[in-house]
Amino acid sequence: MAASFAVSILCILFCVLYATAANVDCSVAPLSLPWSNITVSANGVAVTRGIELGIGTPNQIFSLRPSTTLNNTRVANVLDCVTQSNTSCVGGKGGVFDSSKSSTFVVSLKNRWNGSAADTEASTGAYVYFNDVIDFQANGTVPGYPLVQNSDLISGPEAGLPLGQNSSFLAAVTQAKVAPSSVWGLDAGDRSLSPRDGKLVVGGYDASRVSGNLTTFPLGTWTNQQPCPLQVTVSELLYSTPDGINYSLFATATDGVTGCIEPQQQRFTFLPSMVERFAMLTAYNSSYPGLVFPTNSRPSGTLRIELDNGYTTTIPNDHLFIPKRGSDKNGQYVVTNSSILETGIAHNLDDTDADVQVILGGLFLTYNYIVVDYDNNQFQMAPTVQGDQGSGAEITTVCKPTPSIMGPQVSHQAHSSGTNGTSRVAAIAGGAVGGVVGLTAIAALCYFLARKRRRGRQREDEKRAQQDNPTRMYPELASDERRPSELALVRHTTPSISRVYPLI
């Protein structure tokens, strides 16, 4: 009996190790997703800057900003814009989803849905949980991908590509072998008047965009006051004038404030007391709506952000103050008023410090490349190489090999910019089929051993029963009758069928 128990334990451990190994394949090239201007309307007019995704069959195109505060992919409902021909609305939302136009759309109950349960939901929101095919164009396909359709007519939909600690996006692409690991690197690009595309790399990072050494930071603790994983301590904020004078935006001496690095938001969010000092130093006219300035009264300073470990970033004047932009009637992001300069800092002078969370948004990430490794509870940051890199991307894999029966795996390798040019659908299918075949063989072995063990027990029980009652005999039975031992065999020779539904 002890031997049979040991065999059962070994079978279970074998299955676990095999399943773990099947989800880790460091030989898979990292998933590279450009952050660029994407056409999201059917008529080809509305353009939104973000990560391009094709959702449904046939594809409906979306352009989503990455978000570390989301764990599930959220998309806007077409009904929020009434129709897809409302290009201004469609462009502003980064695309809208019409479930009636996808043949692979499958709605799900929330408690049976295979996405992450970590996201909070607004009381005014209307959420639909579903699964559908998602395409990363030439970079891979994931069937059965979990999505949320969010309609919030009061505060607006919170659409975004989830990069949170419990991201169903990161889980899906690694389990489908579209990416080798959940480590991700982000170049936010540049949204100034001289724009530059960015890039999200899952399973590694673009080493060609990293200037100097990466500085390591621990992940922050997620709280209601600090709802983000990428937390840093801002020890000083300085507004620097051309004559070399540095003015602190801190009202009093302090050990610093905690800030969230969040790519979904473009501007900085500072405490109102800091914004008030900035307004005073730049001669802000409060009669203007928002933190804006006339073009002929352009402030001349720069912004310097210092972290508690000495890491420093300077935002130059031409990025801190830029002509007012927004979505036009066609949904395209353009200069809407060239006589006004808007600031890369959010206006919140009507709020109190206690109600505001400091956020270092996309403007901060224009100058800083980040590499996030949730498994090791850390992220790294280094200055971003500015300018157009052309075809010089150096995509580097970051993947921790898992001890497995599959043999050694590649843990670190560089790929040229063309590595991701071919589709990985065949690789996904092959990996899935291989995993299913392997697990089926293991399950069959375990079932055979268990069945053999049950039969041995049944024979022992019958022998003991006959020894206890030696006069008992089994006469010939009618065709519709069977001995007890035969009944037991019939009951156990047909295995039950179990179905396992993975994440994707």
Side-chain angles (χ1 to χ4, degrees):
M1 180 174 177
S4 298
F5 178 75
V7 169
S8 299
I9 293 298
L10 286 175
C11 281
I12 294 172
L13 291 176
F14 195 66
C15 289
V16 171
L17 285 174
Y18 188 94
T20 302
N23 287 334
V24 176
D25 188 352
C26 293
S27 65
V28 174
L31 174 63
S32 294
L33 300 172
W35 189 346
S36 59
N37 289 328
I38 305 298
T39 301
V40 294
S41 62
N43 60 7
V45 175
V47 176
T48 305
R49 188 173 183 274
I51 306 294
E52 183 180 22
L53 301 178
I55 300 174
T57 306
N59 278 171
Q60 298 177 44
I61 305 301
F62 288 81
S63 180
L64 303 179
R65 287 184 70 99
S67 171
T68 67
T69 60
L70 284 179
N71 291 288
N72 294 305
T73 305
R74 291 185 176 181
V75 295
N77 192 323
V78 65
L79 297 179
D80 290 345
C81 295
V82 183
T83 68
Q84 289 184 331
S85 61
N86 186 351
T87 55
S88 178
C89 177
V90 172
K93 295 180 182 297
V96 292
F97 186 72
D98 187 346
S99 60
S100 67
K101 294 184 177 180
S102 174
S103 62
T104 48
F105 169 83
V106 179
V107 71
S108 176
L109 296 175
K110 182 179 180 181
N111 62 355
R112 295 185 181 181
W113 183 62
N114 61 348
S116 173
D119 285 342
T120 57
E121 298 176 350
S123 59
T124 57
Y127 302 91
V128 176
Y129 302 89
F130 69 99
N131 296 84
D132 212 328
V133 173
I134 187 168
D135 289 317
F136 305 106
Q137 303 311 317
N139 293 316
T141 298
V142 178
Y145 182 88
L147 297 118
V148 182
Q149 193 174 44
N150 176 25
S151 295
D152 190 342
L153 300 180
I154 296 178
S155 59
E158 185 184 6
L161 185 66
L163 294 178
Q165 286 178 274
N166 296 294
S167 168
S168 57
F169 161 71
L170 296 176
V173 296
T174 53
Q175 291 183 18
K177 301 189 186 304
V178 177
S181 73
S182 61
V183 174
W184 54 273
L186 182 64
D187 169 20
D190 191 340
R191 291 191 69 187
S192 69
L193 296 181
S194 300
R196 174 179 63 81
D197 289 347
K199 182 181 293 182
L200 170 66
V201 179
V202 182
Y205 66 100
D206 186 354
S208 70
R209 279 299 179 191
V210 177
S211 177
N213 297 323
L214 288 160
T215 300
T216 301
F217 298 80
L219 289 181
T221 301
W222 188 294
T223 65
N224 290 333
Q225 292 74 32
Q226 311 290 343
C228 61
L230 309 185
Q231 298 179 16
V232 293
T233 299
V234 180
S235 60
E236 185 62 278
L237 284 172
L238 298 173
Y239 181 73
S240 304
T241 60
D243 54 4
I245 301 177
N246 297 316
Y247 297 94
S248 175
L249 300 186
F250 282 89
T252 59
T254 178
D255 293 332
V257 296
T258 300
C260 292
I261 298 176
E262 178 48 61
Q264 189 176 41
Q265 175 177 311
Q266 179 63 18
R267 289 188 175 91
F268 290 98
T269 296
F270 295 140
L271 300 179
S273 60
M274 299 173 177
V275 178
E276 185 177 13
R277 288 181 62 81
F278 178 84
M280 179 188 67
L281 292 168
T282 55
Y284 165 66
N285 186 341
S286 60
S287 64
Y288 284 94
L291 199 60
V292 299
F293 301 85
T295 302
N296 58 7
S297 299
R298 182 188 191 97
S300 58
T302 61
L303 181 67
R304 179 182 174 94
I305 303 104
E306 297 180 359
L307 306 184
D308 62 342
N309 63 353
Y311 193 97
T312 301
T313 300
T314 298
I315 310 299
N317 183 270
D318 63 344
H319 281 63
L320 187 58
F321 304 97
I322 57 177
K324 186 174 180 59
R325 296 178 296 175
S327 296
D328 64 10
K329 63 179 181 180
N330 294 321
Q332 299 189 24
Y333 191 70
V334 297
V335 174
T336 56
N337 189 343
S338 60
S339 65
I340 294 294
L341 297 173
E342 58 183 1
T343 310
I345 300 173
H347 181 283
N348 57 8
L349 292 174
D350 296 329
D351 299 323
T352 62
D353 285 7
D355 297 327
V356 173
Q357 166 64 50
V358 172
I359 298 175
L360 310 182
L363 181 53
F364 178 80
L365 291 174
T366 292
Y367 294 92
N368 294 286
Y369 194 97
I370 54 174
V371 181
V372 181
D373 186 351
Y374 289 133
D375 289 340
N376 288 315
N377 295 308
Q378 68 178 31
F379 69 96
Q380 295 177 296
M381 188 160 59
T384 300
V385 174
Q386 299 299 313
D388 187 6
Q389 68 182 146
S391 60
E394 185 182 345
I395 307 301
T396 303
T397 301
V398 178
C399 181
K400 181 180 180 181
T402 301
S404 70
I405 61 172
M406 304 300 289
Q409 300 181 36
V410 179
S411 61
H412 185 91
Q413 63 187 45
H415 301 270
S416 68
S417 59
T419 300
N420 292 313
T422 58
S423 174
R424 297 186 191 147
V425 177
I428 298 169
V433 171
V436 171
V437 171
L439 288 175
T440 301
I442 295 168
L445 174 62
C446 293
Y447 169 73
F448 173 78
L449 293 172
R451 178 183 176 186
K452 183 177 180 181
R453 180 183 177 190
R454 286 197 302 269
R455 285 184 171 179
R457 285 182 175 178
Q458 291 165 3
R459 285 193 290 268
E460 292 176 2
D461 291 342
E462 291 175 8
K463 289 180 180 179
R464 282 195 296 270
Q466 292 181 4
Q467 291 172 356
D468 293 341
N469 187 10
T471 61
R472 183 180 179 184
M473 302 293 291
Y474 289 103
E476 291 293 322
L477 299 176
S479 60
D480 60 344
E481 295 179 332
R482 296 190 176 112
R483 297 183 178 91
S485 61
E486 292 174 328
L487 290 173
L489 286 173
V490 171
R491 187 163 56 245
H492 292 285
T493 52
T494 303
S496 61
I497 300 175
S498 62
R499 293 179 173 84
V500 178
Y501 296 95
L503 177 66
I504 57 165

